[in-house]
Amino acid sequence: MASSSNSSFSPDAKYFASCDNDGKLRIWETQKNVLFQEFTPNFHLNAPCSCLKWMCSPGGPSPGGPSKKKLKKSRDVGEDIIAMGTSNGRILLYSLATAKVEGQLEGGHKSSAVTGLSWFPGTSLYSCGDCVIAEWNISEKKAKNKWKAGTEKIGCVLVSPDGKHVLSSSRSIKLWNPATGELVMTFIGHASPVISLTFVPKPAPNGAYYFVSSAKGDRYMNVWSFGKGGDKTAVVSMVLESESAGAVSLYEEQESGTINLAAVTHNGVVQTFSHQLNGRCPKPLKPTLTIQVATDSSRGKESVEPIPIVSTLCAFKEEVKIAYGIGTFLAFENVVLNYDEKLQVLVRQDPRKVHQESSTDTSLVKVPENQKAQFLPPSAANAVVSGTKRTHNRRAEVPMEERLENLSLTLRADDRPTGMPRADNLSQLMLQALHSKDKHMLHTVLLRREEDVIRNTVRKLPLQVIEPLLKELTTLLHGKTAMAQTGARWLKVVLSIHSAHLMANPSLVELLSPVIGLIETRLSVLPSLNRLSGRLELLASQLEGASGSDDNAAALDMQSSLLLYQDADTSDEDDAQDDNGGLVSESDDHWEELSDSDNSVDEDSDDNDVEMAD
């Protein structure tokens, strides 16, 4: 929800200005529910807008406003100036008539952020920043007075309707005399820093002024008084159902003096109070009516989805103007208060869907009002028939030579493709898979291992699908080894390419916490796995060494026996006799005896054969 100091209605409720965290000033026209102007300062990123205040000039041209040539345009738009306080201490004066910055106020707060602005009709503008309050002369664009308001950081500042007093708030509320810079009174009653101050326009019959304050994270709004019969403590307390968002507006009835107050709570509803200020109230007041906006376009017909209210303006007796929506999609409406019920629920269409429907309605087809219109066929659409003469639209035609080349079935040598076309970008398939939540299609894309394909795909993806892709990759990382490797490969590329977008995402911790937990769990077992891997490698090397030594020994034995075997020959025997000195050995004598005995045996056998023959 936008801060109350960064968004507010104009006093006439015709415009609504808001400055978000992106530093852009957006102004809506509340009667037409359209964005009227959008302005981006040159230094919106280094020094974004910290607060804004409407300054109206009912008489004469606006300070620093348009010249006489633009006076007519300014009368149509209005003589409104928006003072924008920035985080570097500057104050920009933006004009609705010229749609640009007409001047700057510098030197009042040095480099501290401007935290609050208050406009007094005329030429005075009050600002606060850090511990200093400054009063500016708008016509001369310089600070005419400034003083130190204590030692605590000031959250907001407010000038009284008569311009004689200035309120400043931190945890306590202090009343100052701007002419002398002296402290008049201190109000104590809030335990947290005060975020909004609102004056009752007219004083009480006794001359006392009343103002309303609300604090950050506090459900109570207090009403204070100063002047005749004033007190340092709150005279009236109002209790909200939830903590205040700071957007408070009130309307005072002229006849009875009763104030009707409307306040926006932190949960996006408006609660109204009605009370007549005539003294101290002993009990806290409860809201008389609660206004809530909801849409019935949710999943079930019986359930509704709330739409937060960002601001309210109570400018009428029984009617308030509200602004509801999210971010830059806002809608505005005048709500008539129904006090017969405690809760008033407004069923409206979500402004975001209204914007989408209006942006998608881009059809340029116009249905002719004349029923006698003649529709031409597509073949005659390029020609205009006028009587008996036909004139063709002049356009560049393709030469006959190029037409014949296109019809040729043979390709020239320089026109032949050098290789098969391949897709190096699967971003469209990835978008379709994420949109339809098709797991098979998504895994088909994620299983690609080419580094250039992965990088081109991730680089072409829009930023809106990075968060769903991270969730899918986290699911893969918790899977088995192959899927975990695939998820880690894609996650590395996503983090390297879209690191700037992820660092600016407020839900980055929530997205990456499962991945970080998984990485820490797996890293915790990494030392044990390294030791086990080393032991297995050592054991495997020893087994290979033992088996290799046995095989080598057998091979060496076989190789030695084949090489050392030699067959003896006669030359070796002669060498042996020569070595013995030429003497015959006993073995030689034995062989001679055996030879003689063999001869005698043979002779005896021959004789016996002769005798048997005889």
Side-chain angles (χ1 to χ4, degrees):
M1 182 178 297
S3 175
S4 61
S5 59
N6 291 356
S7 61
S8 65
F9 283 95
S10 62
D12 55 1
K14 292 183 179 180
Y15 302 100
F16 180 81
S18 175
C19 190
D20 297 332
N21 296 329
D22 57 359
K24 295 182 179 180
L25 175 65
R26 296 179 177 89
I27 303 172
W28 285 267
E29 194 172 351
T30 60
Q31 296 178 354
K32 298 181 181 180
N33 278 338
V34 295
L35 184 61
F36 180 62
Q37 291 180 5
E38 185 174 0
F39 174 73
T40 303
N42 296 331
F43 46 87
H44 66 286
L45 296 179
N46 297 330
C49 176
S50 56
C51 59
L52 60 86
K53 184 66 178 178
W54 286 89
M55 300 189 304
C56 299
S57 302
S62 58
S67 59
K68 294 181 179 180
K69 295 181 180 180
K70 299 180 180 179
L71 185 59
K72 182 177 180 181
K73 181 179 178 180
S74 65
R75 288 175 180 174
D76 297 335
V77 178
E79 302 287 351
D80 293 332
I81 296 289
I82 299 178
M84 301 170 54
T86 60
S87 59
N88 61 356
R90 296 180 181 179
I91 301 175
L92 307 180
L93 302 179
Y94 177 83
S95 174
L96 268 70
T98 59
K100 64 180 182 180
V101 175
E102 296 293 343
Q104 296 186 16
L105 306 179
E106 299 179 1
H109 302 284
K110 295 182 180 179
S111 59
S112 61
V114 180
T115 56
L117 294 170
S118 181
W119 164 251
F120 180 73
T123 59
S124 295
L125 176 69
Y126 292 88
S127 63
C128 64
D130 202 2
C131 303
V132 177
I133 300 176
E135 181 182 1
W136 302 87
N137 190 333
I138 301 301
S139 59
E140 299 179 0
K141 295 183 178 60
K142 66 178 183 180
K144 62 180 181 181
N145 185 19
K146 65 177 183 179
W147 67 93
K148 187 174 181 181
T151 57
E152 295 182 355
K153 184 178 179 180
I154 304 174
C156 56
V157 65
L158 180 65
V159 60
S160 61
D162 58 357
K164 297 180 179 180
H165 298 87
V166 173
L167 291 173
S168 65
S169 66
S170 52
R171 293 184 181 273
S172 59
I173 303 173
K174 297 181 179 180
L175 181 67
W176 302 89
N177 185 356
T180 60
E182 296 179 355
L183 179 62
V184 179
M185 187 181 297
T186 302
F187 305 92
I188 300 175
H190 289 287
S192 55
V194 177
I195 57 177
S196 72
L197 295 171
T198 306
F199 259 111
V200 177
K202 293 185 178 181
N206 58 356
Y209 276 100
Y210 292 91
F211 65 92
V212 184
S213 65
S214 62
K216 181 179 180 181
D218 194 352
R219 294 173 54 195
Y220 286 88
M221 296 188 302
N222 295 330
V223 180
W224 315 80
S225 66
F226 66 90
K228 296 182 179 179
D231 196 354
K232 296 182 179 180
T233 60
V235 295
V236 180
S237 295
M238 304 176 184
V239 59
L240 300 170
E241 293 182 357
S242 63
E243 60 186 65
S244 175
V248 179
S249 178
L250 57 86
Y251 172 77
E252 184 181 10
E253 298 180 8
Q254 300 293 335
E255 298 178 356
S256 60
T258 302
I259 63 168
N260 299 318
L261 186 142
V264 181
T265 62
H266 190 69
N267 55 5
V269 301
V270 173
Q271 293 187 324
T272 63
F273 298 85
S274 180
H275 181 70
Q276 186 176 4
L277 299 174
N278 55 3
R280 184 177 298 275
C281 184
K283 295 182 180 180
L285 300 178
K286 294 183 179 181
T288 56
L289 180 63
T290 300
I291 304 173
Q292 183 177 1
V293 182
T295 176
D296 58 350
S297 59
S298 57
R299 296 179 180 178
K301 294 183 179 180
E302 298 180 356
S303 60
V304 295
E305 182 180 356
I307 302 176
I309 300 176
V310 298
S311 184
T312 182
L313 180 63
C314 185
F316 306 98
K317 181 178 180 180
E318 295 182 353
E319 183 178 348
V320 296
K321 196 176 191 67
I322 60 173
Y324 60 90
I326 298 176
T328 59
F329 307 103
L330 299 179
F332 309 91
E333 183 177 349
N334 292 330
V335 180
V336 179
L337 304 179
N338 184 13
Y339 292 104
D340 296 336
E341 299 178 358
K342 293 293 184 180
L343 177 62
Q344 185 175 353
V345 180
L346 307 177
V347 180
R348 300 292 184 267
Q349 191 174 3
D350 194 344
R352 292 177 295 180
K353 296 184 178 180
V354 175
H355 178 76
Q356 293 175 359
E357 292 177 358
S358 61
S359 60
T360 55
D361 187 12
T362 59
S363 176
L364 299 179
V365 179
K366 300 296 183 181
V367 179
E369 298 179 358
N370 187 6
Q371 299 298 330
K372 297 181 181 181
Q374 181 181 1
F375 296 91
L376 297 177
S379 59
N382 295 330
V384 179
V385 179
S386 177
T388 59
K389 185 178 179 180
R390 177 176 296 177
T391 59
H392 295 273
N393 294 331
R394 296 182 179 179
R395 58 182 180 179
E397 296 183 355
V398 181
M400 183 60 67
E401 183 181 358
E402 295 184 5
R403 293 183 182 181
L404 295 176
E405 290 180 358
N406 294 334
L407 293 175
S408 179
L409 298 179
T410 60
L411 294 176
R412 293 178 297 179
D414 53 351
D415 292 339
R416 293 176 181 175
T418 57
M420 294 297 293
R422 62 177 184 175
D424 59 349
N425 181 9
L426 302 177
S427 59
Q428 295 297 330
L429 190 60
M430 175 72 78
L431 287 174
Q432 185 178 358
L434 292 174
H435 181 70
S436 61
K437 298 182 180 180
D438 190 346
K439 298 294 183 181
H440 179 71
M441 187 186 302
L442 182 63
H443 290 172
T444 302
V445 179
L446 294 179
L447 289 179
R448 297 294 295 268
R449 297 186 177 182
E450 296 85 351
E451 187 69 21
D452 55 347
V453 175
I454 296 176
R455 286 193 170 274
N456 293 335
T457 302
V458 174
R459 189 177 290 110
K460 295 294 183 180
L461 289 177
L463 299 179
Q464 292 80 3
V465 300
I466 298 301
E467 185 173 346
L469 179 59
L470 285 178
K471 294 180 181 179
E472 295 293 340
L473 295 179
T474 304
T475 305
L476 291 181
L477 289 174
H478 285 80
K480 296 183 180 180
T481 304
M483 303 307 293
Q485 291 178 353
T486 302
R489 188 183 303 110
W490 281 81
L491 180 62
K492 178 181 177 181
V493 177
V494 171
L495 294 179
S496 62
I497 294 178
H498 297 284
S499 58
H501 170 67
L502 294 175
M503 292 296 293
N505 191 350
S507 60
L508 176 63
V509 179
E510 183 180 356
L511 286 175
L512 297 182
S513 58
V515 179
I516 297 174
L518 179 63
I519 294 175
E520 292 179 352
T521 303
R522 294 186 177 180
L523 287 178
S524 62
V525 299
L526 184 60
S528 302
L529 291 177
N530 289 335
R531 289 195 296 268
L532 179 59
S533 177
R535 292 178 182 178
L536 291 176
E537 291 179 359
L538 181 60
L539 183 60
S541 62
Q542 291 178 356
L543 292 176
E544 292 177 359
S547 60
S549 62
D550 295 340
D551 296 340
N552 293 334
L556 290 175
D557 293 341
M558 184 179 296
Q559 186 177 6
S560 61
S561 61
L562 291 175
L563 295 175
L564 294 178
Y565 176 79
Q566 294 181 358
D567 190 8
D569 53 2
T570 56
S571 61
D572 296 335
E573 293 179 357
D574 295 339
D575 294 338
Q577 292 178 2
D578 294 338
D579 294 337
N580 293 330
L583 298 177
V584 180
S585 62
E586 296 179 354
S587 60
D588 295 335
D589 298 338
H590 181 65
W591 282 108
E592 291 178 356
E593 294 176 356
L594 289 176
S595 63
D596 294 339
S597 62
D598 291 338
N599 295 330
S600 62
V601 171
D602 294 336
E603 293 176 357
D604 293 339
S605 61
D606 294 336
D607 295 338
N608 291 333
D609 294 335
V610 172
E611 291 179 358
M612 289 181 67
D614 294 339

